[in-house]
Amino acid sequence: MSNKIMTDKQTGEKHCRCFKRCGGCQLDEPYKDQLERKQQKADRMLSKFAPVNRILPMEKPYNYRCKVQNIYGLDRSKRIISGVYQSSGQKIVAVDDCFLEDERAAPIVRSVKKLMKDMRIPPYDIRSGRGILRHTLIRTSRSTGQVMLVLVTAGAMLPAKNNLVKAMRAAHPEITTIVQNICPDGMPLTLGERDIVLFGKGYIEDELCGCRFRISPASFYQVNPLQTEKLYSCAVEAAGISEGVRVIDAYCGTGTIGIICAKNGAEVTGVELNKSACRDAHKNAELNGLENIKFCNDDAGKFMQAMASKGEGCDVLIMDPPRAGASREFIGCAGRLAPQKIVYVSCKIETLERDLKAFRREGYKVTYIQPVDMFPHTMGIETVCLLERNGEKNEAH
């Protein structure tokens, strides 16, 4: 079924007839109205801490997602379909195209469906536990042109895999690597721990803020690199990064922000609890030839508490926590470490508001707030905040 994405010839605005059924977008209104809606929300929730800058828009707010996942199934006529998995109803919403996704993804998905039919590769049925292909993951890079296709299967068996790879390469020479990921159990759209590289290096590379990053199937990487450049540039500028500045990059993931800081001369320690992400961070530092950054596989709060107990410190703490925000323990540890500046990169404004109140009690004042529209057509707002130490803790707030 075609989505029938429509484009207004006068304004260039796009509309998708799958809007209400899919759930991938939450906003179906002109882009300028989306930006105003988000600006008002940011002002309402954050202006009590400091003036809120105008949200940084995306020049062309379409086809920005560099990570695309599609689940596969059968319709009532036993035809193979692909689309979005809705956990609430445990069903697939058939989607053939999406104006949020990199334009290279949809043709690859169509080829996968055709080859599944030709080579008799059945989609996996979560209810019966039968079938082979769970979903596909496509990662792309605009800066390097590289494309990764990940075939997520329920077991190691993948019929005619050599012919499948050969056919996909012939149909899509832009694909630079193909990986089979084996996920024997788990929820839809999850990855297993075992990868089998079927073609290429098993990863792609992307360039961001003058640095190069390796992206493997399970790597965390921002889905909108164009806006990520703006986001990270704001974070580095707010931190006042220069030669010799001591930085802790908490929740560092694959090391992106920390590596950009190190590239600008800072002495960086990245802390990440996820072992796989920490391994990727080490590789990314090597890829950029940096010796002024190191990574520790540890809980960030415990790591900072240990530093403070030894009398060690840092000039800047950079934190980019998950949507749940920072824990009370983490904020308390940050207060004991007492860096002069904290740069908070937030992907959920509700938890950011809560955490800024907690940091205020630790003796920090917000001096800079910059929203960035990372996810056009959704309600998401990414925000960079600078907090500066301004005195003693205040338990009264």
Side-chain angles (χ1 to χ4, degrees):
M1 176 180 176
S2 172
N3 290 359
K4 296 183 179 178
I5 293 174
M6 300 168 289
T7 303
D8 187 304
K9 293 182 179 180
Q10 290 186 328
T11 66
E13 298 277 355
K14 295 184 180 183
H15 300 277
C16 177
R17 292 181 64 181
C18 202
F19 172 72
K20 291 184 178 180
R21 293 188 300 110
C22 169
C25 297
Q26 293 93 51
L27 299 175
D28 183 29
E29 58 192 21
Y31 187 51
K32 64 178 179 63
D33 294 341
Q34 295 180 33
L35 292 171
E36 189 55 37
R37 177 195 292 267
K38 294 181 182 183
Q39 184 71 47
Q40 290 177 5
K41 182 176 182 180
D43 289 340
R44 184 174 67 252
M45 299 187 72
L46 302 179
S47 61
K48 56 179 164 286
F49 300 105
V52 180
N53 292 334
R54 296 298 298 177
I55 190 169
L56 298 180
M58 191 171 185
E59 185 179 347
K60 296 179 180 179
Y62 303 104
N63 306 112
Y64 58 82
R65 289 191 64 91
C66 65
K67 177 184 178 182
V68 176
Q69 296 186 95
N70 279 270
I71 196 165
Y72 297 81
L74 299 174
D75 65 10
R76 294 178 180 178
S77 301
K78 302 299 180 182
R79 293 176 298 187
I80 295 174
I81 60 172
S82 64
V84 177
Y85 179 76
Q86 289 189 338
S87 56
S88 57
Q90 293 189 338
K91 65 178 182 179
I92 300 173
V93 177
V95 178
D96 285 343
D97 201 359
C98 174
F99 62 49
L100 301 188
E101 298 171 353
D102 189 301
E103 294 167 306
R104 291 169 287 184
I108 291 174
V109 171
R110 287 195 288 269
S111 293
V112 169
K113 285 191 291 185
K114 180 180 184 303
L115 291 171
M116 287 174 69
K117 178 183 177 182
D118 294 346
M119 298 181 179
R120 298 182 179 180
I121 301 173
Y124 180 79
D125 185 339
I126 192 171
R127 293 186 178 89
S128 68
R130 300 193 193 95
I132 293 176
L133 187 67
R134 282 180 169 272
H135 74 278
T136 55
L137 165 64
I138 299 168
R139 288 183 176 272
T140 61
S141 168
R142 291 187 184 275
S143 61
T144 66
Q146 297 174 16
V147 178
M148 172 197 295
L149 169 63
V150 182
L151 305 164
V152 184
T153 58
M157 185 181 72
L158 179 58
K161 68 172 66 176
N162 292 336
N163 289 335
L164 175 61
V165 170
K166 184 178 179 180
M168 287 300 302
R169 290 183 61 194
H172 300 280
E174 69 274 19
I175 295 177
T176 52
T177 189
I178 300 176
V179 179
Q180 179 187 359
N181 175 269
I182 301 171
C183 183
D185 49 35
M187 293 295 294
L189 303 180
T190 58
L191 293 179
E193 295 182 357
R194 184 183 173 194
D195 287 331
I196 301 173
V197 179
L198 304 179
F199 165 68
K201 295 180 178 180
Y203 60 86
I204 62 173
E205 293 179 356
D206 189 47
E207 293 180 356
L208 198 65
C209 297
C211 299
R212 200 169 179 93
F213 297 99
R214 173 173 169 168
I215 308 168
S216 54
S219 294
F220 170 78
Y221 197 74
Q222 293 279 9
V223 300
N224 187 343
L226 289 174
Q227 292 298 92
T228 301
E229 288 250 11
K230 298 177 184 178
L231 182 77
Y232 288 174
S233 295
C234 289
V236 172
E237 184 177 351
I241 297 301
S242 59
E243 197 76 28
V245 171
R246 298 170 302 162
V247 174
I248 292 179
D249 180 12
Y251 308 98
C252 74
T254 55
T256 45
I257 299 180
I259 285 171
I260 294 167
C261 289
K263 192 86 170 181
N264 284 271
E267 297 292 330
V268 182
T269 300
V271 189
E272 172 58 48
L273 190 59
N274 183 285
K275 289 183 179 179
S276 176
C278 206
R279 284 196 297 269
D280 282 343
H282 281 289
K283 292 171 183 174
N284 285 330
E286 293 174 3
L287 187 63
N288 289 278
L290 296 171
E291 296 182 354
N292 54 328
I293 184 168
K294 60 182 179 180
F295 297 97
C296 297
N297 181 209
D298 199 352
D299 174 81
K302 292 178 180 178
F303 178 85
M304 292 189 300
Q305 190 171 30
M307 281 189 68
S309 65
K310 296 175 186 176
E312 300 174 354
C314 67
D315 303 308
V316 179
L317 169 64
I318 295 178
M319 53 183 289
D320 187 2
R323 291 175 61 81
S327 66
R328 289 183 180 181
E329 291 77 14
F330 177 93
I331 293 173
C333 290
R336 285 189 286 277
L337 190 65
Q340 186 58 40
K341 293 181 178 180
I342 297 175
V343 177
Y344 192 143
V345 181
S346 166
C347 58
K348 187 175 181 181
I349 201 165
E350 289 81 4
T351 52
L352 173 64
E353 179 193 28
R354 178 201 68 199
D355 292 349
L356 292 181
K357 291 177 182 177
F359 274 115
R360 187 164 57 187
R361 291 192 291 270
E362 293 291 335
Y364 283 90
K365 179 182 179 182
V366 180
T367 57
Y368 170 82
I369 302 176
Q370 179 61 68
V372 179
D373 191 27
M374 286 282 287
F375 315 109
H377 310 285
T378 77
M379 289 298 294
I381 304 173
E382 200 91 4
T383 313
V384 175
C385 290
L386 173 63
L387 299 89
E388 298 187 70
R389 193 159 188 82
N390 71 333
E392 297 296 321
K393 295 183 181 182
N394 187 351
E395 302 293 343
H397 284 285

